[in-house]
Amino acid sequence: MASEIPALPQSYAPGNDSVFSDRSGFYSMDTNVPGLSKLILNKLNMKDYGEYRAAVEGKAQGITFRNYKELFQKMEETFKFCTSCNKLPEHLTEGQTLKRCVKCLNVYYCTKDCQKKDWPQHKKVCKMLRLVAIDRLVEWLMFTGDLPFSTEKWSKSVAEVKNWEDWLAMQGDQTSCLDAILSGANMTALWKNVSRPRPDDSDLRQSLWRIQSEFLSRVLTVGMGIRHFSLDPYAKPLTIHLAGASHNETMGARVTDYDELNKMSPGHQGIEIVMVGPEVVDGPIMRPPLRAFGPKHRVYISAHKGLYHQFWEDVVETEEGARPDLVVGFHPGFHANQGLIEGWLPTLLLLRDYNIPCLFTMYSEMELKCSLQILLELEVHIRDSGPNPFTSQKPEQVQSCPNKTPVYCNSHYIFFQGILPQEDAEEPGPNN
């Protein structure tokens, strides 16, 4: 969600014997808006983080909503706090209510004075946050099956598809597909049950594309990694590990989610995607990785819940799964706090020492610079880095700090492999 995770309260900060999980990210919201994580639990009728995690993983019992209206209302209430003074609803005086900005319909204020005080900051992002508010609701169609919509066969080679413009040129006119979603029962139910007017069709079409782009950004970024490291899916089957896979990537994941790779390389020898991470959510992809290569011309997705370096010891070293041809990390975030570095350090050293081709993505240029510095300190050989031509088009809001400039999934990348050559690792002297 956020490109910058604020410092954690001491009571939640991971210790030397701990590993970062989204628990610390969840509670870190309280450093900006005291009690925001508690508010979210209360609005969702949950008593603690464990219950929230169980709900995310689809294991919660008895957490139901009477109708769609109540569902969307509870979701929206988790965003209700004064953007200026950070007051939560329970901290308001009698007669006070939080009022929403009428332009973006995204942020709230407890008084007109707070709104006026905040306007110099909010006006910089108000238009963008209007899009975020629409996307936040339309994204529900990912769970109804309306999104992602189907894509066309590739009429160009992988080498010719270098950015979104090249990819879109192969897709033809998507109007009929988008109009079918716009007029569908789920889109109608969505705007019937949310407390805001339905945007016009043009806004909704653009929102559908932004959400589609976020979904496709991951698979097209993987394709970019395959191309960069000159991996040939026609010469042999490929095994690709997604290290640090989160609940965002695996919640609602389907076994067909990476089938765009089939269109990218039709007739390939077989591609296996293994999602590994402590926050992996149970579902159809939660199955063991393949010991032998899977069927040709297909993408096989599996998942493993745990830390990557432990997965390597338990599964890869014992030959219960294949060694990877490429390791991808979507937003590892190890720049953010000490707990993240502690969790990622054994994995980063493993990937370095085994000379594994790697591709990591970041939310922002700031995160890219910080991550590069950490990797260089670990003497990792950086092969390339920069803006991702397949970045998501969907802006991401920092929930606890709404006026921060929105960021984009996979907006930047780093390619790295092996240990930094010794001559590059030496300090520059007077003669070099």
Side-chain angles (χ1 to χ4, degrees):
M1 179 175 66
S3 62
E4 297 175 304
I5 299 179
L8 298 174
Q10 189 60 40
S11 59
Y12 297 124
N16 293 330
D17 59 347
S18 68
V19 175
F20 174 87
S21 74
D22 72 344
R23 175 185 176 92
S24 56
F26 180 82
Y27 283 115
S28 72
M29 293 187 292
D30 289 343
T31 64
N32 288 301
V33 183
L36 181 57
S37 61
K38 186 173 185 295
L39 172 71
I40 292 174
L41 293 174
N42 289 341
K43 294 301 181 182
L44 297 178
N45 300 319
M46 299 173 185
K47 66 179 183 295
D48 56 27
Y49 178 81
E51 201 167 279
Y52 170 81
R53 165 54 46 210
V56 168
E57 295 182 350
K59 299 176 182 178
Q61 300 294 325
I63 299 178
T64 59
F65 297 99
R66 290 172 295 181
N67 50 51
Y68 285 143
K69 187 178 289 294
E70 183 179 1
L71 167 65
F72 292 123
Q73 180 182 349
K74 294 294 185 183
M75 288 172 58
E76 182 60 30
E77 286 177 350
T78 65
F79 287 84
K80 286 187 176 181
F81 62 90
C82 180
T83 304
S84 177
C85 69
N86 293 339
K87 281 185 180 177
L88 293 167
E90 57 263 35
H91 300 147
L92 301 179
T93 59
E94 186 176 353
Q96 270 190 324
T97 57
L98 290 171
K99 301 294 180 63
R100 190 160 52 183
C101 171
V102 296
K103 293 185 176 181
C104 69
L105 298 179
N106 194 318
V107 300
Y108 291 83
Y109 298 99
C110 61
T111 64
K112 288 185 177 180
D113 287 340
C114 271
Q115 185 172 18
K116 289 179 180 178
K117 180 181 177 181
D118 191 59
W119 178 242
Q121 292 300 317
H122 180 62
K123 68 179 179 181
K124 300 175 184 177
V125 293
C126 186
K127 290 182 179 179
M128 184 68 75
L129 292 183
R130 174 180 173 274
L131 305 183
V132 172
I134 296 173
D135 292 350
R136 188 163 70 229
L137 294 170
V138 174
E139 196 169 20
W140 177 65
L141 298 180
M142 290 289 293
F143 296 93
T144 64
D146 296 86
L147 289 172
F149 50 81
S150 59
T151 60
E152 302 294 331
K153 293 181 179 179
W154 285 36
S155 57
K156 300 179 181 179
S157 68
V158 173
E160 293 176 292
V161 183
K162 299 178 180 179
N163 50 43
W164 280 120
E165 185 177 351
D166 294 336
W167 183 85
L168 286 168
M170 302 185 296
Q171 298 304 307
D173 187 1
Q174 294 283 337
T175 302
S176 59
C177 179
L178 294 174
D179 286 349
I181 300 175
L182 289 178
S183 60
N186 290 318
M187 183 69 84
T188 301
L190 170 64
W191 297 105
K192 179 181 178 182
N193 288 284
V194 297
S195 301
R196 57 167 294 168
R198 174 173 172 146
D200 61 38
D201 285 355
S202 175
D203 282 338
L204 290 176
R205 286 191 187 94
Q206 292 175 33
S207 178
L208 290 171
W209 158 241
R210 289 193 295 270
I211 295 166
Q212 175 89 350
S213 76
E214 181 178 23
F215 173 83
L216 288 172
S217 174
R218 294 188 181 95
V219 63
L220 292 175
T221 298
V222 168
M224 185 175 70
I226 292 174
R227 182 175 69 247
H228 175 85
F229 287 106
S230 301
L231 303 175
D232 187 355
Y234 296 106
K236 74 178 191 70
L238 298 181
T239 298
I240 299 169
H241 291 171
L242 304 186
S246 68
H247 72 273
N248 287 330
E249 294 167 55
T250 56
M251 183 171 61
R254 296 154 298 185
V255 296
T256 57
D257 280 356
Y258 278 77
D259 280 0
E260 190 72 15
L261 293 175
N262 292 329
K263 299 174 182 178
M264 187 182 304
S265 303
H268 59 77
Q269 293 297 304
I271 300 174
E272 181 182 14
I273 304 290
V274 187
M275 299 186 179
V276 184
E279 301 296 340
V280 166
V281 177
D282 197 6
I285 65 168
M286 184 59 77
R287 47 188 181 177
L290 299 173
R291 291 187 180 183
F293 294 120
K296 295 181 179 180
H297 319 320
R298 287 180 54 191
V299 176
Y300 182 91
I301 302 180
S302 61
H304 179 92
K305 188 178 180 69
L307 297 169
Y308 186 78
H309 59 276
Q310 293 174 343
F311 165 78
W312 186 280
E313 293 178 4
D314 297 340
V315 179
V316 178
E317 291 287 4
T318 60
E319 299 185 350
E320 293 294 319
R323 289 204 177 196
D325 299 286
L326 173 68
V327 171
V328 178
F330 294 120
H331 313 115
F334 49 72
H335 74 293
N337 62 44
Q338 187 62 38
L340 280 165
I341 296 174
E342 291 168 4
W344 272 100
L345 183 58
T347 291
L348 293 173
L349 295 178
L350 182 154
L351 295 173
R352 182 197 69 179
D353 294 344
Y354 278 97
N355 199 39
I356 305 297
C358 296
L359 162 59
F360 282 10
T361 67
M362 289 80 205
Y363 277 108
S364 65
E365 185 176 9
M366 178 280 298
E367 185 177 342
L368 171 68
K369 291 179 179 178
C370 295
S371 300
L372 283 170
Q373 181 62 37
I374 292 171
L375 291 175
L376 288 173
E377 289 174 359
L378 296 177
E379 299 185 351
V380 171
H381 189 188
I382 307 298
R383 302 304 179 97
D384 192 18
S385 64
N388 183 1
F390 295 107
T391 178
S392 166
Q393 304 298 297
K394 180 167 110 30
E396 302 287 338
Q397 176 185 1
V398 181
Q399 184 182 24
S400 58
C401 301
N403 286 332
K404 282 189 176 180
T405 303
V407 294
Y408 296 84
C409 291
N410 305 320
S411 69
H412 291 73
Y413 69 86
I414 301 174
F415 289 119
F416 62 94
Q417 182 181 4
I419 298 176
L420 188 69
Q422 192 60 40
E423 59 270 20
D424 293 340
E426 292 177 355
E427 290 293 329
N431 299 320
N432 62 355

